[in-house]
Amino acid sequence: MAVEQMRTSEDAVLGGRLVLRQPLKGHRVGHDAILLAAACSARPGDRLVDLGAGVGAAALAVALRIEDLVVTMVEIDPALVILARENAASNGLAERARAVQLDVGAMSAAFVAAELAPGGADHVLMNPPFNAAQNPSPDRGRRLAYAAADDTLGVWLGAVAGLLRPGGTLTLIWRADGLSEVLAALAADFGAVTVLPVHPRPDAAAIRVLIRAIKASRGPLSLLPGLILADATGRPTAQTETVLREGAVLPLAEN
């Protein structure tokens, strides 16, 4: 569907510092994108690529926080690419953030044609589809955002390994119950893996894991204390509030 025909809303995140135009139907920006941004350890002057960027929430949140960061948002849906470009412009980030239409599973020549040279990125963000493709949503946008094929993880990590320079950093978010498959898939090209579990409440099992991994590193695995999103009464914890509303970073971004 063309953007002109798409019903959209403008929604503020990070306490109003970032305003995003996004579709009313389909995948909507949620906590995952902001948590992913808060886990990114990029520094001023770095080059960051966001795979599966959607309307640009995670990448633009990082660019808003880090001066001189150069961002490329990669998205397969052409309507979302247009919205990501508009969001970069409306938030004053167009000079440092661009969006390209590209399938993450495309051949390396397609990445080069999109000015994404092998080994040219310092950081990659990745929020891929991570739910099994059973009973897929009739909405195309939700299918693209959520439904994973059997080879999705391997394909996306292959693209990341090609994009990152040696020593470059991958930051990704995934289902907590899929942690073992992520660790196994990372083993070939990445090390120094650090895992931050995300729990909905103090008494609940983790529902997400935020993961940082370094290309071509032999560093050991580290497991950080979990992030608790809400207290026993359902109110956001102080740490959650500072991340989601004030733009604070998570421990993954500090190390």
Side-chain angles (χ1 to χ4, degrees):
M1 180 186 296
V3 171
E4 308 84 57
Q5 301 171 310
M6 182 184 294
R7 295 182 63 201
T8 62
S9 63
E10 287 192 352
D11 301 284
V13 298
L14 295 175
R17 286 188 291 277
L18 183 64
V19 179
L20 301 168
R21 185 182 171 205
Q22 60 178 329
L24 281 173
K25 290 186 176 182
H27 176 62
R28 302 270 295 170
V29 173
H31 289 173
D32 283 6
I34 305 305
L35 294 176
L36 183 64
C40 179
S41 59
R43 297 292 180 262
D46 282 349
R47 298 154 297 175
L48 181 143
V49 178
D50 183 2
L51 298 181
V55 300
L60 296 178
V62 180
L64 199 67
R65 186 179 87 231
I66 301 172
E67 294 183 0
D68 300 325
L69 184 72
V70 178
V71 171
T72 300
M73 299 173 282
V74 174
E75 172 56 46
I76 192 173
D77 188 326
L80 297 186
V81 171
I82 293 171
L83 290 175
R85 290 172 182 160
E86 291 181 357
N87 288 331
S90 64
N91 286 280
L93 298 168
E95 291 187 1
R96 298 192 285 119
R98 69 187 183 106
V100 298
Q101 183 187 352
L102 185 63
D103 185 341
V104 174
M107 301 294 289
S108 58
F111 281 84
V112 173
E115 301 180 12
L116 291 167
D122 299 294
H123 298 265
V124 173
L125 294 181
M126 179 172 130
N127 184 8
F130 50 54
N131 292 320
Q134 298 173 351
N135 302 316
S137 169
D139 182 272
R140 179 176 181 272
R142 292 185 67 84
R143 286 198 307 275
L144 289 174
Y146 293 118
D150 291 341
D151 63 348
T152 293
L153 184 59
V155 168
W156 283 56
L157 288 178
V160 174
L163 288 167
L164 281 174
R165 62 170 175 78
T169 303
L170 164 67
T171 308
L172 70 99
I173 190 165
W174 196 260
R175 301 184 331 271
D177 64 1
L179 176 59
S180 61
E181 62 184 301
V182 176
L183 295 177
L186 287 170
D189 296 301
F190 298 89
V193 178
T194 305
V195 180
L196 174 64
V198 180
H199 302 259
R201 299 181 311 280
D203 59 346
I207 54 171
R208 296 283 187 271
V209 282
L210 287 157
I211 299 170
R212 186 188 64 206
I214 310 299
K215 180 180 175 180
S217 171
R218 297 192 178 187
L221 172 70
S222 299
L223 181 63
L224 297 176
L227 170 67
I228 311 298
L229 294 179
D231 62 23
T233 68
R235 295 177 60 86
T237 62
Q239 185 179 16
T240 299
E241 285 282 290
T242 60
V243 170
L244 297 181
R245 296 186 180 277
E246 300 174 22
V249 298
L250 291 165
L252 284 172
E254 298 171 347
N255 297 335

